[in-house]
Amino acid sequence: MEGGTGKVEEKKKQAEMTGKQSIRFDEAVHLLCAASIAGKKEGEGPLGDRFDQVFEDPFFGKATWEEAESAIQRAALEKVLEKTGMQEKEIRFLFGGDLLGQLIATSFGVKELGIPLFGLYGACSTCGEALCLAAMTVAGGFADHVAVVTSSHFGGAEKQFRFPLEYGNQRPLSATWTVTGAGAFLLGKRGGKVRIPEVTPGKIVDYGVKDSLNMGACMAPAAADTIEQNLKDLKRKPEDYDRIITGDLGYVGKRLLLELLEEKGIRIKEQHMDCGIEIFDQEKQDTHSGGSGCGCSAVTLAALILPKLVSGEWKRVLFVPTGALLSTVSYNEGQSVPGIAHAVVLEHNETGLQQ
Amino acid sequence: MDRNEQRKQQYRDYVEQVTPKHNLLKNMAGAFLTGGTICLLGQVILNFCKAQGLDPDVAGSWCSLLLVLGSVILTGFNLYPKIARFGGAGTLVPITGFANSVAAPAIEYQKEGQIFGIGCKIFTIAGPVILYGIITSWGLGLIYWAFGFLRG
């Protein structure tokens, strides 16, 4: 091996294992740019005018829900490239994921871009998982620019996990509404208004909740675990964050999360926010517990959270997308619904360039 | 039960407590109104057909036919789910609910082809109703036959 021990030492310095499961990058990774594309219902919600693009046709001009979701992913990626003036070939790796079986929205969405791909499945936490891995890849010196894209589509998710859309049934009040949309992000070594100094990948936490229509309750213990671990590992208090933002716990999950953490003496009531709650108007849009899906946290991050970090209104937030790890098979076979949550620390960077 | 499992059980009980539920009375009222309206409509069709001089069996068939047709058309225009959101079991139990549960997968899975799409999946929701309906009617038929046999 060339360079001998000197080179190895140099590599090691680029990141540090912190506490039990967190990573602190010696040089923070920069989040250079983001794009969000969302469906009609999301466009009518509270974040409607913040998305880069809202499309009226749920099929996005395609023939099926699955093709539509692929097209949305691709459009989000193209949007982020357009904003930065970069080309596909300048992106070294792509980390992408969605909710569909065998990740077909991602595979068919990005196949023509020619970017080396890591397809990821973390249910609705995929955006967090992808950002963790993308940041690690950049921090480790394995790439100068990487992209992240995640998506979900109401029609495709309903078809796969529940019933065809035209079937008449009542949704329980604890059910969430899968967000139709995709968020894409570009990460690099320097120059962003937002940086990622630390990440805390989460572990699976299963309290044995079996109700797949109460995913907030399934995921809240995992979110509590990851948040607690992040604070412990980085020796922080909730006040050190302007916001602690979970992915899609919804109203039911939010309540449970706050109480689970309260039991351990951690109060995050002041800081806590949930993308699933932000994205829809519960009263007017009949979305019950809130929004969910890989697209939910991604478009909320791109459209709501990042702009506030760019402007400096928020200095530091903890972004914690949450996922419920089930399939219709595991559910029908009587298994519980385990949860997972990955935390990404996002900071305002004064010296970055606006993009 | 160890402590860990106890803790999880506590959590599950607590989840049960704090999860909001639909208001039962309101739901029942919705189901009564919607289901009642559908059945009233059926009665109107039936009476009309009889008034036209059709015999009761034929009139009954027309009634079922028209309700199913109406339900399928409403499903096609994506209106049936909207009614069901209000009506709940009131839209599910009458024959219109059955028609909706067959038409909805047919529309959704059409894209996966005539055989593997519509053919295989048209009864994904109605299948259990058909299967267990047939088994139940078979069982009831057996009981009916047994009673007849006993009475001589």
Side-chain angles (χ1 to χ4, degrees):
Chain A
M1 207 167 104
E2 265 180 277
T5 49
K7 199 153 197 177
V8 174
E9 298 264 299
E10 201 182 316
K11 267 249 152 73
K12 263 189 183 168
K13 272 190 70 184
Q14 286 167 340
E16 197 182 324
M17 291 182 274
T18 309
K20 191 175 155 212
Q21 64 195 59
S22 300
I23 300 164
R24 174 171 275 143
F25 304 123
D26 271 1
E27 268 183 68
V29 176
H30 288 217
L31 213 163
L32 305 176
C33 185
S36 57
I37 297 191
K40 181 166 178 276
K41 191 177 180 87
E42 291 69 24
E44 290 162 355
L47 307 184
D49 48 4
R50 296 169 184 261
F51 299 123
D52 290 307
Q53 188 191 338
V54 172
F55 54 94
E56 294 287 309
D57 171 18
F59 283 109
F60 203 65
K62 301 289 173 186
T64 67
W65 304 130
E66 293 78 11
E67 280 178 50
E69 191 177 335
S70 294
I72 300 163
Q73 261 204 19
R74 180 163 179 168
L77 271 170
E78 279 170 353
K79 191 88 203 168
V80 94
L81 290 174
E82 182 196 312
K83 278 186 177 182
T84 48
M86 287 178 72
Q87 290 185 323
E88 287 98 334
K89 59 174 191 268
E90 293 175 73
I91 311 296
R92 198 153 178 93
F93 298 113
L94 173 62
F95 295 83
D98 60 87
L99 291 179
L100 300 178
Q102 288 77 41
L103 236 51
I104 53 172
T106 304
S107 316
F108 289 88
V110 305
K111 66 175 180 177
E112 267 135 36
L113 295 177
I115 308 172
L117 169 75
F118 293 95
L120 305 172
Y121 186 80
C124 312
S125 75
T126 307
C127 183
E129 182 180 359
L131 284 172
C132 285
L133 289 169
M136 285 158 71
T137 306
V138 173
F142 303 111
D144 39 8
H145 290 106
V146 299
V148 164
V149 66
T150 63
S151 67
S152 52
H153 191 299
F154 179 75
E158 285 293 307
K159 175 180 169 185
Q160 174 169 299
F161 290 102
R162 288 178 275 274
F163 294 115
L165 282 196
E166 290 82 5
Y167 178 60
N169 65 334
Q170 272 180 340
R171 307 161 59 81
L173 295 179
S174 57
T176 47
W177 189 281
T178 307
V179 165
T180 303
F185 308 89
L186 188 68
L187 279 70
K189 276 189 167 318
R190 57 187 70 83
K193 274 282 197 189
V194 177
R195 60 181 180 219
I196 303 175
E198 296 110 1
V199 296
T200 308
K203 55 179 181 280
I204 296 177
V205 179
D206 185 4
Y207 276 21
V209 179
K210 289 189 171 181
D211 185 358
S212 71
L213 288 172
N214 191 358
M215 292 202 290
C218 304
M219 301 184 292
D225 186 84
T226 303
I227 293 169
E228 187 194 356
Q229 199 61 51
N230 174 275
L231 296 173
K232 211 183 268 176
D233 286 352
L234 302 176
K235 300 189 175 57
R236 286 202 179 123
K237 293 189 283 298
E239 304 84 74
D240 294 332
Y241 293 109
D242 289 307
R243 289 288 186 283
I244 294 176
I245 307 166
T246 47
D248 51 2
L249 294 182
Y251 291 90
V252 179
K254 178 186 174 97
R255 179 176 173 175
L256 291 163
L257 171 73
L258 294 183
E259 290 180 24
L260 281 169
L261 285 173
E262 190 107 348
E263 272 178 31
K264 306 207 167 175
I266 303 169
R267 285 181 63 89
I268 63 161
K269 198 161 187 254
E270 297 290 308
Q271 292 83 18
H272 183 256
M273 207 176 109
D274 185 72
C275 299
I277 294 176
E278 297 299 318
I279 197 164
F280 291 124
D281 184 325
Q282 188 191 25
E283 297 296 317
K284 285 191 208 136
Q285 296 190 286
D286 194 32
T287 45
H288 297 336
S289 193
S292 62
C294 296
C296 178
S297 49
V299 296
T300 310
L301 175 64
L304 178 70
I305 304 167
L306 289 177
K308 285 185 191 285
L309 281 162
V310 166
S311 73
E313 187 184 335
W314 294 340
K315 300 288 184 225
R316 185 195 281 150
V317 307
L318 186 63
F319 177 60
V320 195
T322 41
L325 301 170
L326 80 156
S327 82
T328 48
V329 175
S330 70
Y331 177 75
N332 286 339
E333 290 180 353
Q335 299 263 33
S336 60
V337 183
I340 193 163
H342 301 289
V344 180
V345 179
L346 297 162
E347 280 180 354
H348 169 66
N349 181 30
E350 201 53 56
T351 56
L353 305 165
Q354 178 106 39
Q355 266 179 334
Chain B
M1 214 178 347
D2 66 18
R3 255 181 70 93
N4 210 1
E5 194 43 49
Q6 241 171 17
R7 169 90 194 80
K8 289 179 181 177
Q9 186 58 47
Q10 263 175 15
Y11 177 76
R12 291 197 291 267
D13 294 342
Y14 186 66
V15 166
E16 193 64 29
Q17 264 176 47
V18 299
T19 301
K21 305 260 168 11
H22 283 290
N23 182 322
L24 184 65
L25 279 178
K26 205 177 129 198
N27 255 9
M28 281 162 65
F32 177 78
L33 279 175
T34 321
T37 309
I38 294 171
C39 295
L40 178 70
L41 194 68
Q43 193 65 46
V44 168
I45 298 171
L46 195 66
N47 286 10
F48 178 79
C49 289
K50 281 191 200 162
Q52 300 301 305
L54 293 177
D55 80 63
D57 275 354
V58 180
S61 301
W62 272 108
C63 171
S64 307
L65 266 171
L66 289 172
L67 284 179
V68 167
L69 177 70
S71 167
V72 170
I73 290 173
L74 287 175
T75 303
F77 284 106
N78 205 15
L79 293 171
Y80 203 82
K82 295 196 173 74
I83 305 170
R85 212 177 301 160
F86 170 77
T91 50
L92 181 83
V93 177
I95 196 168
T96 50
F98 187 78
N100 166 253
S101 76
V102 178
I107 297 169
E108 187 73 272
Y109 291 105
Q110 186 213 359
K111 286 150 196 156
E112 293 180 26
Q114 301 293 323
I115 307 294
F116 291 104
I118 299 179
C120 289
K121 291 181 175 153
I122 192 164
F123 293 128
T124 44
I125 305 169
V129 182
I130 299 172
L131 175 67
Y132 297 113
I134 290 173
I135 292 178
T136 311
S137 63
W138 182 81
L140 287 173
L142 206 65
I143 294 169
Y144 184 75
W145 173 81
F147 269 101
F149 194 73
L150 286 178
R151 272 192 301 183

